[in-house]
Amino acid sequence: SQSANLTIGYQYSPSFFKEIHEVLRKRCDRGLPTTVTILRANGAAARYLHDSTTGKPAVEQSVGEIVALLCEINAGTKGCTLLFHDRVLRYSFIQTDENVWIKFYANSSARTTVPAFKVRADTPLFDFFAGDIKRLLADSHAAE
């Protein structure tokens, strides 16, 4: 909540954004730069995830919920930038200037809790993730 810069990358699950709703609101109110990139609901990656995932996830509805939450948070402040990617992410992330938290996705079809791990800045692993995230953001777009 206090980091100078915050970047979040996710597929399409709105539960995370519901959990951190107040943190994002406070950041936007203070004018702290926050960038979020989520799956483009009508892109090739969304179609792939919908067709290949057990239970046929409601990707479009979930993305719509995230967009609505972020628009409500951002109303009047414009501190939060929302971007859309068209990639099947290998991991979700939360990046600050000091750390990046990484949460991989399970390879099995069974639902499971996946732990996250924190990588601190000034390490080769942080540099890898920071570079990968920078390239993802460069390929992301502001409007669907």
Side-chain angles (χ1 to χ4, degrees), residues 83-102:
L83 302 172
F84 296 91
H85 63 79
D86 194 19
R87 305 286 304 167
V88 176
L89 297 182
R90 274 63 169 182
Y91 58 88
S92 294
F93 59 87
I94 301 171
Q95 181 185 21
T96 67
D97 296 331
E98 300 82 23
N99 302 291
V100 61
W101 284 263
I102 300 295

Side-chain angles (χ1 to χ4, degrees), residues 62-130:
S62 295
V63 168
E65 286 181 44
I66 296 169
V67 170
L69 276 170
L70 293 177
C71 285
E72 184 268 325
I73 288 167
N74 210 28
T77 64
K78 305 299 181 210
C80 185
T81 302
L82 176 60
L83 302 172
F84 296 91
H85 63 79
D86 194 19
R87 305 286 304 167
V88 176
L89 297 182
R90 274 63 169 182
Y91 58 88
S92 294
F93 59 87
I94 301 171
Q95 181 185 21
T96 67
D97 296 331
E98 300 82 23
N99 302 291
V100 61
W101 284 263
I102 300 295
K103 184 175 179 184
F104 290 107
Y105 295 103
N107 289 320
S108 66
S109 61
R111 289 187 88 46
T112 184
T113 300
V114 180
F117 64 93
K118 180 171 83 170
V119 179
R120 66 180 163 76
D122 299 322
T123 65
L125 192 54
F126 180 91
D127 293 344
F128 164 78
F129 285 119

Side-chain angles (χ1 to χ4, degrees), residues 52-68:
S52 68
T53 304
T54 305
K56 302 290 184 205
V59 174
E60 192 169 341
Q61 177 185 341
S62 295
V63 168
E65 286 181 44
I66 296 169
V67 170

Side-chain angles (χ1 to χ4, degrees), residues 1 18-19 21-22 25-26 32 37 49 52 57-58 60 64 100-101 113 121 124 131 133 137 142:
S1 64
K18 290 175 183 177
E19 289 173 20
H21 182 263
E22 282 306 310
R25 177 187 306 286
K26 289 176 184 175
L32 294 171
T37 185
L49 288 169
S52 68
E60 192 169 341
V100 61
W101 284 263
T113 300
I133 292 166
L137 293 175

